[in-house]
Amino acid sequence: MKLREFEGKRVFAEAGIPVPRGRVIRPGDEPGDLDEFGDEVVLKAQVDVGGRGKAGGVVICPTAEAPARAGDLFGTTIRGLPVTEILVEERLPIVHEYYCAVMVDRSTSQPVVLFAEAGGVEIEETAKNDPDRVRRVGISPLLSGLPPFAVRDLVGAAPKALAPIVSALYRAFLANDAILAEINPLAILEDGRVMAVDAKVIVDDNALARQGIAQNRDLSEREREAERHGFSYVELDGDVGVVGNGAGLTMATLDLIEHYGLRAANFLDVGGGADRERVAHAVRLLALSPGVRVIIVNLLGGITRCDEVALGIVDAGVRQRIIVRMAGTNEEEGRAILGEHGYEMYGSMDEAVAAAAGGTR
Ligand code: GDP
Ligand code: MN
């Protein structure tokens, strides 16, 4: 789950990383006295997208104009997202912007720390066109902190004051079960102080309970519903819904869908021993996902009984076309129930997916 900038900055502050003084305001709030922040402030839209600066989500203005400018900002959307929270901060005299981040490197399955002397809003361009300007050091997950040599390699000839920030960012990354902790820009101010001007922290969804986060804000209504029922559920952007039992069978179905040139809208693993009611819930949930044109149910009857599955499909009563592949326990009974209600059923998953593909041509 992505933390908002002000939440990320709280996490940073707890790890000993200096952050600007600031306060969050919401529409209708009386902004109160902002003079404590000096003559000029920065208004920052707290939306879950990068590149807010370039999209008009970061406004620098005289403090006296801040309430009016905040009012304008509340009325806008930044890259399609409505602005419902603004972080008001002191405006800082920045002399240089660095980039520092810790993330999980999927190819090595370990954390990697990144540092660049040229941070700021152009970092993506720099990383793409001039990747050598971003220094990277992989860190063994067995270590509980950054070894001094790693910090030296990362910071290089940049000011020494940055070194403790890099170490603190790594500690914050570990302590918060993050998959990403990024400071961009990590700023050096006129008076030589170092400051995290922006914060991006993504907490591993599997660690939310341990982090005391009760609800994953990033989940859609349907994903939350799936979580309540204990389904593994993922939304994609095609038009074929997929219900399977077991991760292997579900993934194999997705591969076949790809093979036949179709695109999955979502997939749901009902798990073992799904009964009539669970199957009905699963099918209804999938059918709610926008853009689902056809649903492929691919279930293997072991402890799951095909007749229960068939009844669940009939109960769901969704408007989309449903193509079923079932094999195993009580297959004949299941086939009879589906046949009675006019559903399509196939004995092999290849035939089932081919039928879905055929239907579109
Ligand atoms: P992002 O575009 O979503 O990454 O938002 P940032 O928080 O990184 O802000 C974008 C840019 O605004 C930064 O790279 C800075 O150059 C500038 N900026 C933000 N806060 C301040 C500030 O307090 N002082 C100055 N001078 N510039 C700031
Ligand atoms: Mn930024």
Side-chain angles (χ1 to χ4, degrees):
M1 186 184 90
K2 287 191 221 75
L3 301 188
R4 311 246 196 275
E5 178 186 3
F6 71 91
E7 297 168 325
K9 281 177 168 166
R10 210 179 288 150
V11 159
F12 286 176
E14 279 164 15
I17 299 171
V19 298
R21 293 181 300 129
R23 177 171 5 121
V24 177
I25 59 171
R26 299 187 170 80
D29 276 4
E30 203 47 63
D33 190 9
L34 298 175
D35 289 344
E36 58 170 311
F37 300 128
D39 295 342
E40 280 189 320
V41 289
V42 188
L43 306 177
K44 309 183 79 178
Q46 299 298 285
V47 288
D48 281 338
V49 285
R52 291 165 306 165
K54 286 185 173 175
V58 178
V59 176
I60 298 178
C61 69
T63 306
E65 290 175 19
R69 299 295 295 274
D72 295 343
L73 193 52
F74 278 131
T76 64
T77 56
I78 305 297
R79 296 182 197 254
L81 297 173
V83 180
T84 57
E85 291 169 323
I86 293 176
L87 175 61
V88 184
E89 284 185 341
E90 59 181 328
R91 190 211 168 156
L92 298 164
I94 297 175
V95 293
H96 193 86
E97 300 189 336
Y98 296 88
Y99 171 89
C100 188
V102 187
M103 62 185 80
V104 175
D105 182 347
R106 285 167 186 259
S107 62
T108 60
S109 306
Q110 63 178 22
V112 59
V113 187
L114 279 63
F115 184 92
E117 308 238 355
V121 296
E122 301 298 340
I123 188 68
E124 268 91 18
E125 290 299 301
T126 304
K128 201 166 75 197
N129 303 330
D130 214 351
D132 289 348
R133 292 177 68 191
V134 182
R135 297 196 273 271
R136 305 167 57 97
V137 177
I139 306 296
S140 163
L142 299 174
L143 298 175
S144 56
L146 283 186
F149 72 84
V151 181
R152 274 198 305 274
D153 284 355
L154 287 159
V155 174
K160 292 266 177 295
L162 296 165
I165 309 293
V166 177
S167 300
L169 184 63
Y170 194 77
R171 281 198 303 275
F173 172 84
L174 292 182
N176 291 278
D177 291 313
I179 56 173
L180 172 72
E182 179 189 85
I183 311 176
N184 185 39
L186 171 57
I188 302 269
L189 309 183
E190 273 171 7
D191 60 9
R193 280 187 301 156
V194 182
M195 195 76 75
V197 167
D198 193 5
K200 185 167 176 193
V201 177
I202 303 178
V203 177
D204 187 336
D205 287 347
N206 295 307
L208 296 183
R210 183 158 77 180
Q211 289 298 325
I213 299 171
Q215 196 180 55
N216 186 347
R217 276 193 312 240
D218 294 352
L219 295 184
S220 72
E221 198 61 41
R222 293 176 299 277
E223 286 168 327
R224 211 162 279 157
E225 174 81 8
E227 205 177 62
R228 266 197 296 278
H229 287 291
F231 296 137
S232 305
Y233 174 67
V234 173
E235 299 199 331
L236 304 164
D237 53 14
D239 60 1
V240 181
V242 178
V243 184
N245 59 348
L249 186 67
T250 311
M251 289 304 132
T253 315
L254 290 171
D255 283 349
L256 263 183
I257 285 174
E258 179 87 25
H259 175 76
Y260 277 98
L262 298 171
R263 287 169 58 79
N266 52 27
F267 63 89
L268 185 154
D269 175 0
V270 288
D275 60 8
R276 176 175 185 169
E277 203 178 332
R278 260 179 97 65
V279 171
H281 272 305
V283 173
R284 277 196 204 113
L285 194 76
L286 280 201
L288 288 175
S289 206
V292 173
R293 178 182 56 79
V294 49
I295 296 174
I296 297 178
V297 180
N298 184 10
L299 297 173
L300 208 59
I303 45 171
T304 305
R305 287 170 33 194
C306 294
D307 53 335
E308 285 280 314
V309 171
L311 290 169
I313 291 170
V314 174
D315 286 350
V318 299
R319 62 178 170 79
Q320 288 94 336
R321 177 181 174 201
I322 298 191
I323 298 172
V324 186
R325 178 266 172 161
M326 288 192 304
T329 312
N330 291 0
E331 186 179 326
E332 281 317 308
E333 290 86 336
R335 193 182 284 273
I337 295 164
L338 289 178
E340 228 170 84
H341 290 83
Y343 286 93
E344 298 168 67
M345 180 169 158
Y346 299 89
S348 85
M349 50 197 268
D350 196 86
E351 286 172 291
V353 179
T360 63
R361 287 195 187 123

